Amino acid sequence: QVQLVESGGGLVKPGGSLRLSCAASGFTFSGYYMSWLRQAPGEGLEWVSYISSGSSYTDYADSVKGRFTISRDNAKNSLYLQMDSLRVEDATVYYCATYNWNYKYFDYWGQGTLVTVSS
Amino acid sequence: QTVVTQEPSFSVSPGGTVTLTCGLSSDSVSTSYYPSWYQQTPGQAPRTLIYSTNTRSSGVPDRFSGSILGNKAALTITGAQADDESDYYCVLYMGSGISVFGGGTKLTVL
């Protein structure tokens, strides 16, 4: 059974940093592209970033480019999102999800972790 | 900037049929955009319904179907049930690994 469990969310001041983690189990993690997505309370979903199965390829939404870094450790079945220079508008629930590269969709989702950015 | 458009809200009667659409501000939606659809209830993670225009994700009932209607992607729910009351999001693939979400449609079943 596929399981994705995010952690690392919390309260941070504007300009601060936070590192999110996503622990994967129940599937061959190293064979999947992965993504981070986010959703502000009461708002819609936004794609944030993706990483290829072997970490060769990454990309980011314009809203986070240059501030966020996605990475993964296949030996630990883990996905990460390093978030620097955080802004108030980055305060959302962050989801990790598997990304099916062949059919361009997010198939399995975690339950999310909440990031709050406030002084 | 590419904008993916969805109806903000829709209502359907129990047992009825509803079609939600997903458009592009600057182009017609085709299968090349790999439309996918997700269902989300408050406080829950999204659930994948449809991918690659019309393929149902594992475990999704066949009353959910996807298609291209005119210049938009469409999600049709046939025989709506009370627990279909959710937010529905479409996603279009823009190339180079970039996906863009629509703003979501809040579906009410009443």
Side-chain angles (χ1 to χ4, degrees), chain A residues 72-83:
Chain A
R72 64 191 295 163
D73 185 336
N74 287 343
K76 295 183 177 179
N77 288 345
S78 293
L79 175 72
Y80 306 103
L81 186 68
Q82 177 66 41
M83 304 186 295

Side-chain angles (χ1 to χ4, degrees), chain B residues 19-44:
Chain B
T19 297
L20 312 182
T21 68
C22 175
L24 268 176
S25 56
S26 55
D27 197 5
S28 295
V29 177
S30 67
T31 56
S32 301
Y33 284 95
Y34 294 88
S36 55
W37 292 89
Y38 305 84
Q39 177 191 49
Q40 188 182 34
T41 52
Q44 297 297 314

Side-chain angles (χ1 to χ4, degrees), chain A residues 29-30 32-34 51-53 55 71-74 78 80:
Chain A
F29 180 74
S30 60
Y32 275 76
Y33 281 50
M34 297 293 296
I51 187 168
S52 62
S53 53
S55 303
S71 63
R72 64 191 295 163
D73 185 336
N74 287 343
S78 293
Y80 306 103

Side-chain angles (χ1 to χ4, degrees), chain B residues 3-5 13 20-21 28-29 36-37 42 44 49 63 65 74 83 88 96 98 102 109:
Chain B
V3 177
V4 177
T5 60
S13 300
L20 312 182
T21 68
S28 295
V29 177
S36 55
W37 292 89
Q44 297 297 314
L49 294 176
R63 55 200 182 77
S65 62
D83 60 3
Y88 291 86
S96 302
I98 297 171
V109 180

Side-chain angles (χ1 to χ4, degrees), chain A residues 76-97:
Chain A
K76 295 183 177 179
N77 288 345
S78 293
L79 175 72
Y80 306 103
L81 186 68
Q82 177 66 41
M83 304 186 295
D84 298 321
S85 304
L86 281 161
R87 304 168 180 168
V88 171
E89 56 265 33
D90 296 320
T92 72
V93 173
Y94 286 77
Y95 296 99
C96 70

Side-chain angles (χ1 to χ4, degrees), chain A residues 37 39 43-47 50 59 95 99 101-107 109-111, chain B residues 34 36 38 40 43-46 48 51-52 89 91 93 96-99 101-103:
Chain A
L37 306 101
Q39 184 174 36
E43 301 293 327
L45 289 156
E46 179 187 14
W47 169 79
Y50 90 91
D59 208 342
Y95 296 99
Y99 184 59
W101 180 256
N102 289 332
Y103 295 106
K104 318 302 186 198
Y105 77 103
F106 309 99
D107 38 9
W109 297 69
Q111 286 301 309
Chain B
Y34 294 88
S36 55
Y38 305 84
Q40 188 182 34
Q44 297 297 314
T48 308
Y51 63 92
S52 194
Y89 293 92
V91 176
Y93 179 68
S96 302
I98 297 171
S99 298
F101 281 79

Side-chain angles (χ1 to χ4, degrees), chain B residues 85-106:
Chain B
E85 187 161 294
S86 302
D87 295 326
Y88 291 86
Y89 293 92
C90 74
V91 176
L92 299 179
Y93 179 68
M94 298 299 168
S96 302
I98 297 171
S99 298
V100 179
F101 281 79
T105 297
K106 185 176 184 63

